[in-house]
Amino acid sequence: MSLSTDRDKLPAADTPTLYKQIRLDIERRILTGEWPPGHRIPFEHQLMTRYGCSRMTVSKALSELAQADLIERRRRAGTFVRRPKFLSAVLTIPDIRAEITALGRSYGYQLIRCSRRAANAADRARLGVRKTGKVIAISCRHSADGVPFAIEDRLIDLDAVPEAARADFAIEPPGTWLLHHVPWTEAEHSISAIVADEETATALDIAIGAPCLVIDRHTWRSARTLTAVRLVYPGESHKLVARFKGG
Amino acid sequence: MSLSTDRDKLPAADTPTLYKQIRLDIERRILTGEWPPGHRIPFEHQLMTRYGCSRMTVSKALSELAQADLIERRRRAGTFVRRPKFLSAVLTIPDIRAEITALGRSYGYQLIRCSRRAANAADRARLGVRKTGKVIAISCRHSADGVPFAIEDRLIDLDAVPEAARADFAIEPPGTWLLHHVPWTEAEHSISAIVADEETATALDIAIGAPCLVIDRHTWRSARTLTAVRLVYPGESHKLVARFKGG
DNA sequence: CACGGGAATATGTATAGACATATTGATACC
DNA sequence: GGTATCAATATGTCTATACATATTCCCGTG
């Protein structure tokens, strides 16, 4: 193997910064399968002579790849290509208003019910909290170009999100308001399919017995429940795009 | 404001490395809402006096937060807390075998049909490719503790994944084999709900007209189609957990 | 007031060197 | 053979410094 220290082994292209070129070069080898999962990536010292730069520079490239979970670094042992994440493919579930407007369709919103009350037993169970507190319960409907798009049924824990008391959910959908005002750390989703009962069928303007897609989402901030929501979509395809992460 | 340079303003805890403490400290202020979206984070020079370290160290902490999309850095302007990702919440769809075994249930697999043929028009449309080539078409069923869990209908482009010809899909499910052997760069999902027709109802051992959850997944490597798959689950809840990313 | 140009400034990249720390592998001892 | 020990080694963190680069801000000119 040549040990020349010239830099022109890199794709060059429009020459971004050096560490980025290194990162992309290694990323390419991994994604094309040239360096399969488990393969040991050359030591930092070898990479610095290969790319003709300092160790800090290759280290920065490798650190970013490690943060993106493409490689794994172990002291004394070396750096290895990670097994393609065992589980996973990643989906994003957009905010409904943003999703509809991004599609270039007109967004419509109707508040069906909104009440503020002390939490009852069913509310506490749904939020997964023990103590009694105040909640806001909201039912509403989203539409695109005048056609029903989804119905939403939401519970917000007012003890965890006191500022929600000042929001006007007759104007702004609760999901959109929350996304813009309340930071969260964890979310859990449950996706399922149901057939429409009479109330659902009426709200979505579909036939009774027609299939519907349901997303139940529970959102926390540091173990504190913020909100629980159920979204019901007519069963026609609901498309979501996911890309492999990589900075 | 005090300008003391002592380091004990940090949570300390079990004292990981300094840059990590800085990262966690800033992350905490963002997630608790102390520094809301749009807030300007102190300049690097202020942070180095606050934490009593060099600029490279605070820069490393900030770079990781930027890579995780928690903050945005702009030259000359400064560093700002990002608006909570406009859309989004992230879901992971695990490999079915891994999912079932992770739940501690016994995994079962039956190959229903497997054929290798030149692609016909329907195959090309489904894979989204123009040219004719060879494909593998597979139908199979996954079960957990002997109960049908999902049925899978898959098409693999043999031109893009020639090594699939040597795999034995009577033993290993195609999704699992692909995940372990074939690197991919992009995936697109389409989630929808249907009601079971007679064939589906029989395969999943449910009633005709019962709701089913459908996931259509298309996978590419650098714009090259690898495989297209449709998974049909009985409509009872299919649970997926998502965490806020953050390295 | 509009506009162009240049100075100020915050981040971005890169360096060499130093020391820390985890882990491996070999060696010596029982 | 089993086990404790120690040196070798690859990554991990940190510093001080230097220069690059993108923006913003201000100022002077038309």
Side-chain angles (χ1 to χ4, degrees):
Chain A
M1 179 199 284
S2 160
L3 285 176
S4 69
T5 60
D6 55 324
R7 293 186 178 183
D8 40 20
K9 286 178 187 159
L10 287 169
D14 55 347
T15 315
T17 58
L18 179 52
Y19 94 88
K20 252 175 207 156
Q21 286 182 58
I22 298 174
R23 185 163 82 78
L24 287 171
D25 188 48
I26 294 173
E27 199 170 301
R28 182 183 54 75
R29 289 177 206 253
I30 293 174
L31 293 179
T32 58
E34 181 183 338
W35 287 351
H39 175 88
R40 183 152 105 195
I41 288 175
F43 298 128
E44 292 187 348
H45 281 97
Q46 300 175 262
L47 291 175
M48 45 187 284
T49 68
R50 174 190 299 209
Y51 296 118
C53 64
S54 74
R55 197 179 131 232
M56 281 298 294
T57 301
V58 307
S59 179
K60 180 163 187 179
L62 293 174
S63 294
E64 287 198 3
L65 290 170
Q67 205 191 340
D69 249 4
L70 257 140
I71 61 174
E72 187 186 348
R73 316 193 72 196
R74 289 205 308 275
R75 282 183 165 155
R76 166 69 220 239
T79 301
F80 303 84
V81 178
R82 273 186 77 94
R83 218 147 290 283
K85 282 174 283 315
F86 267 103
L87 340 158
S88 99
V90 180
L91 288 186
T92 66
I93 298 193
D95 168 59
I96 294 177
R97 188 177 78 180
E99 177 181 14
I100 291 176
T101 57
L103 290 171
R105 304 167 70 185
S106 78
Y107 174 73
Y109 169 70
Q110 296 96 41
L111 181 61
I112 298 170
R113 271 192 306 276
C114 181
S115 68
R116 191 172 156 182
R117 60 172 185 245
N120 57 38
D123 294 339
R124 288 200 300 276
R126 191 166 161 208
L127 289 172
V129 295
R130 290 264 184 74
K131 296 193 301 184
T132 309
K134 286 204 166 157
V135 298
I136 297 183
I138 301 162
S139 286
C140 57
R141 184 170 69 168
H142 307 266
S143 54
D145 289 339
V147 179
F149 186 83
I151 52 179
E152 171 174 346
D153 190 43
R154 182 184 292 269
L155 219 50
I156 301 175
D157 186 333
L158 263 180
D159 291 352
V161 192
E163 59 271 40
R166 293 192 307 279
D168 184 357
F169 296 125
I171 297 173
E172 191 175 22
T176 306
W177 184 87
L178 286 164
L179 209 49
H180 285 74
H181 294 86
V182 182
W184 52 274
T185 56
E186 276 132 294
E188 187 177 283
H189 297 77
S190 174
I191 297 188
S192 55
I194 62 169
V195 295
D197 59 17
E198 193 182 335
E199 188 188 344
T200 305
T202 305
L204 288 175
D205 195 20
I206 56 177
I208 295 176
C212 294
L213 187 66
V214 178
I215 299 180
D216 286 294
R217 184 188 313 169
H218 200 126
T219 310
W220 293 266
R221 180 172 58 225
S222 317
R224 181 86 155 100
T225 291
L226 302 177
T227 181
V229 61
R230 163 166 282 211
L231 299 163
V232 180
Y233 300 82
E236 93 260 4
S237 171
H238 184 67
K239 203 169 199 180
L240 306 158
V241 179
R243 301 194 89 256
F244 177 73
K245 46 194 281 191
Chain B
M1 181 198 285
S2 159
L3 285 176
S4 69
T5 59
D6 55 325
R7 294 187 177 182
D8 40 20
K9 287 179 186 160
L10 287 169
D14 55 346
T15 314
T17 60
L18 180 51
Y19 94 88
K20 252 175 205 156
Q21 286 183 60
I22 298 174
R23 183 162 84 79
L24 287 171
D25 189 46
I26 295 173
E27 199 169 301
R28 183 183 54 75
R29 289 177 205 255
I30 294 173
L31 294 179
T32 59
E34 181 183 338
W35 287 349
H39 175 88
R40 183 153 102 197
I41 287 175
F43 298 128
E44 291 186 348
H45 280 97
Q46 301 176 261
L47 291 175
M48 45 186 286
T49 68
R50 173 190 300 210
Y51 296 118
C53 64
S54 75
R55 189 166 79 94
M56 282 298 294
T57 302
V58 306
S59 178
K60 180 162 186 179
L62 292 174
S63 295
E64 287 198 2
L65 290 171
Q67 205 191 339
D69 249 4
L70 255 140
I71 61 175
E72 187 186 348
R73 317 192 71 195
R74 290 206 307 277
R75 282 182 164 154
R76 166 70 219 240
T79 302
F80 303 85
V81 178
R82 274 186 75 94
R83 215 148 289 285
K85 285 174 281 316
F86 266 104
L87 338 159
S88 99
V90 179
L91 287 188
T92 65
I93 298 192
D95 168 59
I96 294 177
R97 188 177 77 180
E99 178 180 12
I100 291 175
T101 55
L103 289 171
R105 303 166 71 185
S106 79
Y107 174 74
Y109 168 72
Q110 297 95 39
L111 181 62
I112 299 171
R113 271 192 305 277
C114 180
S115 68
R116 189 172 158 180
R117 59 173 186 244
N120 58 37
D123 293 339
R124 288 199 301 276
R126 190 165 161 210
L127 290 171
V129 296
R130 290 264 184 74
K131 296 193 301 183
T132 308
K134 286 206 167 157
V135 298
I136 297 182
I138 301 161
S139 286
C140 57
R141 184 170 70 167
H142 308 266
S143 53
D145 289 339
V147 179
F149 186 83
I151 52 179
E152 171 173 347
D153 190 44
R154 181 185 293 270
L155 218 51
I156 300 175
D157 186 334
L158 263 180
D159 291 352
V161 192
E163 59 271 41
R166 292 192 308 277
D168 184 357
F169 297 125
I171 297 173
E172 190 173 26
T176 306
W177 183 87
L178 286 163
L179 208 50
H180 285 73
H181 293 87
V182 181
W184 52 275
T185 57
E186 275 132 295
E188 186 178 285
H189 297 77
S190 175
I191 298 187
S192 54
I194 62 169
V195 295
D197 59 16
E198 192 182 335
E199 188 187 345
T200 306
T202 306
L204 287 176
D205 196 19
I206 57 178
I208 295 177
C212 294
L213 187 66
V214 178
I215 298 179
D216 286 295
R217 183 188 314 170
H218 200 127
T219 310
W220 293 266
R221 179 171 59 224
S222 319
R224 182 86 153 100
T225 292
L226 302 178
T227 180
V229 61
R230 163 167 281 211
L231 299 163
V232 180
Y233 300 83
E236 92 260 4
S237 172
H238 186 66
K239 202 169 202 184
L240 306 157
V241 178
R243 300 196 88 257
F244 175 75
K245 46 194 281 190

